[in-house]
Amino acid sequence: MLETFRLAWKVVEHHWMVYRKNLFSNSSITISDPIFFTLAFGFGLGAYVQDIDGRSYLIFMAPGLAAGAALLTSFFECSYGTYFRLNFDGTFKAMLTSPVGVSEIIFGELLWVAIKGAFMTFVISFVLGVFGLIQWPFIWLVPIAGALVGVACGSIGLLATTLVKNIDQFQVVYSFLIAPIYFLSGMFFPIHPDQGWIYWLVQISPLYHGTRLVQSFLWQDGIAENSLIHFPALILLTGILGVFAYRRFKRKLQLI
Amino acid sequence: MPKLLPPLIGESLRRSQGLEIASNLLPIRSGFGFDHRVMEQVVLAEALSLRYGTYTAVNKVTLAISRGDCFGLLGPNGAGKSTFIRLLYGARLRDEGELLVLGMDPQISPRQLKKRIGVVPQENCLDDHLSVEENLRIFGAYHGLYGTAFRIRVEELLKFMSLDAKRDAGVKQLSGGMQRRLAFVRALLHRLDFLILDEPTTGLDPAVRQLLWEKVHELNREGVTILLTTHYMEEAQKLCRNVAIMNEGSLATEGRPGDLIQKHVPGFVAIFDRKSLEARVSEAALKTRFDISFSLEPIQILIRAPNLETLLNLAKEWQTEPLMIRPSNLEDVFLKISGKDLDRYA
């Protein structure tokens, strides 16, 4: 088990070595999106929107942007990134000639997106904090939610990688799965039971639970009760998606 | 040229590690069907099969590769060579049969096994984003290799493969031959007993090919058992003590190159210009000759006969000078086994 973790960590080290070569371009989309969402929706649209639960629209939206960054970074990493490593770069083929096995590759992929999810969520929260849009005391809890959202949405990326016939089909997954998850996660408007099917649908969205957690940490509001509801839900969804992705991606790796 | 460090490769290091030797001496578990001791055989495959749906990629292959051997696995494209190789290091899971590599079942102990084998895959699978040194550093990390000893090892191997001047170059800056040599270095970073080379010199120029043959030969002399797949019969004949020919997933024949030539294609081959020969003798007429076999190639016709005299008499009879007469070789065996030779007398 220790050796499996050591090798999974080496897979993470590999991804970091490659990622840091183009650090700016690799991280630009994850960082620029929240900035422009803040400008367009927060400062722009927000001026025309009334306060939500006593918060300005900008402050309402800010924590969700941080959580949403974990979704985007992990999905793109485990879809396009993994697809390239699987089919074009020969990364996994090479790894499999070393003591690294299929399990270590999958754990490494998920560990990598957990770290990226945690880091991105934290960095964006920090930047929003600099602009006075969050409460600081519980920012240290944010990476935990970011990591879980990262693993859950990275698992969706891995599942997509096992299903697509070519790289262009990821666009379909993005348009009809990832974008709806992103926009219906409680980031842009609050989710209430009286919204009917939307309310029930978002319960199976890992980002919804992640957003609710990050909101409670960064608004410093209802941390205990939200953690009791949304941490177990997020852990359960992450576990289910993780196991499903592990099984399917393992079969895929055994055929390269 | 520095001598490749024996302490890191092959027997000598393992001799200093009594446990490994002791485990190698253990007989294969009962019920396997082999009498050999693992110590003597690096690969033991019995009725090994792998299917993709209804397509059988590897079909009941039984094969043994002895310690210290340089074994060539030959066969046309799609014969199942690469799939067989992947079975050996656990990258594919067999459907049927038994397999032991260095005394271990690749499906049960892939990690332990891969610590003792090196693989140069058909595509180099180098990381284009990283430099030569970074490619080796991360691969060394997979093997748990760090520190000064590892850095010295990398330097030696880069020198061994004449890549030391390219240590900091990006992979994309390397020529095809250099990339192949780097893939070799990557496979040799750890101490290994068994080196698997999947078409090691395909697409390389003759000079690089010669260099790699030399290195393979040197490694084999150091005690590393080698399995290589190749399309180049010259490569197999030069390097391999034993060869096997695969066709459509099955093992068609195996043995020493010389023995296979004697068994399947004894004698000599005359190569004629196709146009010139067809002007003098028809294919139908060739088919009536039971003392020869022939193979039609786009611009040549190969005529094989058990002795030189027959070929010389034919050339006289057809009043056509052959382009060349040579002893039959492994290529003729390959053509015959893969069904591309229209054999008449065998």
Side-chain angles (χ1 to χ4, degrees):
Chain A
M1 192 63 203
L2 204 64
E3 183 67 356
T4 296
F5 182 78
R6 187 191 76 78
L7 290 169
W9 185 251
K10 295 300 152 197
V11 174
V12 171
E13 273 184 29
H14 167 270
H15 294 353
W16 167 240
M17 278 172 90
V18 173
Y19 188 78
R20 73 178 177 191
K21 293 270 169 185
N22 292 300
L23 194 56
F24 182 72
S25 48
N26 280 332
S27 54
S28 59
I29 189 171
T30 324
I31 290 168
S32 68
D33 272 13
I35 291 171
F36 289 109
F37 269 115
T38 308
L39 287 173
F41 288 90
F43 289 105
L45 183 69
Y48 301 94
V49 178
Q50 62 184 25
D51 285 2
I52 299 172
D53 300 330
R55 294 180 186 89
S56 73
Y57 190 62
L58 194 55
I59 287 177
F60 173 82
M61 200 180 64
L65 291 175
L71 162 89
L72 295 179
T73 194
S74 58
F75 174 74
F76 283 117
E77 184 65 49
C78 282
S79 53
Y80 290 95
T82 301
Y83 190 87
F84 265 86
R85 288 190 278 277
L86 182 73
N87 296 304
F88 299 135
D89 292 343
T91 311
F92 297 148
K93 263 187 196 166
M95 282 178 179
L96 288 174
T97 68
S98 80
V100 177
V102 288
S103 298
E104 288 86 17
I105 288 176
I106 302 169
F107 291 146
E109 293 288 300
L110 294 178
L111 191 55
W112 172 235
V113 287
I115 293 166
K116 278 185 80 179
F119 183 75
M120 289 296 181
T121 312
F122 182 79
V123 167
I124 288 162
S125 301
F126 188 89
V127 173
L128 294 168
V130 170
F131 288 101
L133 300 175
I134 64 156
Q135 303 287 317
W136 288 99
F138 290 94
I139 193 173
W140 56 274
L141 283 172
V142 156
I144 303 171
L148 286 168
V149 171
V151 174
C153 299
S155 299
I156 295 173
L158 288 185
L159 284 168
T161 305
T162 67
L163 292 169
V164 294
K165 302 256 187 299
N166 58 59
I167 198 161
D168 298 325
Q169 291 185 351
F170 281 125
Q171 190 56 48
V172 178
V173 182
Y174 178 79
S175 303
F176 294 101
L177 184 65
I178 299 303
I181 290 176
Y182 189 78
F183 289 108
L184 299 176
S185 63
M187 181 195 314
F188 297 104
F189 58 90
I191 303 291
H192 291 300
D194 54 12
Q195 287 161 335
W197 64 271
I198 291 181
Y199 175 78
W200 293 109
L201 193 66
V202 297
Q203 301 304 317
I204 56 165
S205 155
L207 183 59
Y208 166 66
H209 300 288
T211 300
R212 291 297 297 124
L213 286 167
V214 177
Q215 283 171 341
S216 70
F217 302 147
L218 298 183
W219 292 338
Q220 220 181 318
D221 179 20
I223 293 175
E225 52 266 45
N226 276 299
S227 295
L228 278 172
I229 297 167
H230 295 291
F231 260 130
L234 183 54
I235 289 167
L236 182 70
L237 285 170
T238 305
I240 292 169
L241 286 165
V243 168
F244 201 34
Y246 177 84
R247 286 187 178 170
R248 276 199 67 97
F249 201 67
K250 190 173 181 178
R251 282 206 292 275
K252 189 84 179 172
L253 281 174
Q254 281 162 350
L255 287 174
I256 63 169
Chain B
M1 185 63 64
K3 190 173 159 63
L4 191 71
L5 279 180
L8 283 167
I9 286 186
E11 296 293 325
S12 45
L13 187 88
R14 290 187 302 101
R15 275 200 197 100
S16 66
Q17 297 180 341
L19 276 175
E20 261 190 87
I21 287 286
S23 66
N24 283 345
L25 281 166
L26 290 172
I28 296 168
R29 61 190 159 80
S30 57
F32 186 83
F34 288 103
D35 290 325
H36 315 281
R37 284 177 167 253
V38 177
M39 182 74 182
E40 301 305 319
Q41 306 293 348
V42 168
V43 176
L44 280 169
E46 191 177 75
L48 199 62
S49 294
L50 175 72
R51 283 181 289 276
Y52 299 121
T54 53
Y55 174 68
T56 305
V58 176
N59 188 16
K60 293 181 181 162
V61 170
T62 296
L63 181 72
I65 300 175
S66 303
R67 189 171 293 274
D69 198 0
C70 184
F71 194 99
L73 193 57
L74 320 176
N77 287 328
K81 307 184 297 292
S82 295
T83 308
F84 176 76
I85 274 184
R86 288 189 184 121
L87 283 165
L88 297 186
Y89 62 92
R92 284 277 196 288
L93 307 179
R94 63 183 180 266
D95 291 312
E96 280 166 25
E98 298 283 354
L99 176 64
L100 286 178
V101 180
L102 292 166
M104 290 174 265
D105 185 330
Q107 281 176 221
I108 295 171
S109 325
R111 194 185 295 151
Q112 286 75 8
L113 174 64
K114 287 192 284 182
K115 283 180 180 171
R116 288 173 58 194
I117 65 177
V119 181
V120 179
Q122 204 173 65
E123 309 96 6
N124 293 320
C125 300
L126 297 164
D127 217 309
D128 284 353
H129 311 278
L130 305 178
S131 70
V132 168
E133 189 272 333
E134 286 168 328
N135 263 281
L136 299 177
R137 179 149 43 94
I138 192 65
F139 223 76
Y142 299 153
H143 283 282
L145 302 171
Y146 308 94
T148 313
F150 176 62
R151 279 198 295 278
I152 293 169
R153 174 79 180 149
V154 166
E155 287 307 314
E156 283 180 351
L157 284 168
L158 287 174
K159 275 190 190 135
F160 179 67
M161 283 291 174
S162 312
L163 278 172
D164 43 326
K166 297 286 177 186
R167 187 190 308 101
D168 300 317
V171 167
K172 281 181 189 162
Q173 293 166 265
L174 303 180
S175 67
M178 286 175 181
Q179 290 188 10
R180 199 66 182 146
R181 272 138 65 195
L182 179 58
F184 265 75
V185 172
R186 191 183 58 185
L188 299 173
L189 288 172
H190 56 301
R191 56 182 134 96
L192 67 157
D193 299 285
F194 184 31
L195 179 62
I196 298 172
L197 308 168
D198 197 358
E199 296 188 19
T201 62
T202 300
L204 301 180
D205 68 50
V208 178
R209 195 177 301 163
Q210 288 287 349
L211 174 83
L212 287 177
W213 287 351
E214 201 179 291
K215 301 304 175 193
V216 170
H217 191 59
E218 210 171 322
L219 286 163
N220 189 226
R221 265 206 322 262
E222 298 286 349
V224 179
T225 307
I226 288 167
L227 167 64
L228 63 91
T229 72
T230 184
H231 289 300
Y232 298 116
M233 299 304 121
E234 186 194 357
E235 183 166 276
Q237 220 160 338
K238 268 192 178 166
L239 288 175
C240 302
R241 275 192 286 279
N242 290 289
V243 296
I245 297 181
M246 272 186 96
N247 198 26
E248 293 174 354
S250 303
L251 216 57
T253 187
E254 66 170 307
R256 290 172 181 275
D259 295 346
L260 290 184
I261 293 164
Q262 277 309 307
K263 183 181 169 191
H264 295 282
V265 288
F268 294 83
V269 172
I271 301 169
F272 291 90
D273 176 70
R274 185 165 174 167
K275 255 188 186 165
S276 312
L277 193 63
E278 278 177 343
R280 295 178 186 277
V281 57
S282 67
E283 191 182 331
L286 282 175
K287 281 182 181 169
T288 61
R289 303 285 306 232
F290 288 94
D291 54 343
I292 60 162
S293 68
F294 67 93
S295 172
L296 300 175
E297 294 187 354
I299 54 169
Q300 295 175 337
I301 294 180
L302 275 61
I303 308 281
R304 198 179 67 241
N307 55 63
L308 194 57
E309 208 182 355
T310 309
L311 290 174
L312 293 173
N313 287 338
L314 280 173
K316 209 180 280 178
E317 182 187 327
W318 295 332
Q319 295 175 335
T320 311
E321 282 288 307
L323 301 169
M324 181 204 280
I325 296 182
R326 60 162 173 77
S328 354
N329 58 27
L330 216 43
E331 193 160 325
D332 303 311
V333 181
F334 179 88
L335 289 172
K336 184 178 172 190
I337 297 288
S338 60
K340 289 178 181 149
D341 178 296
L342 305 175
D343 205 322
R344 309 303 313 163
Y345 68 84

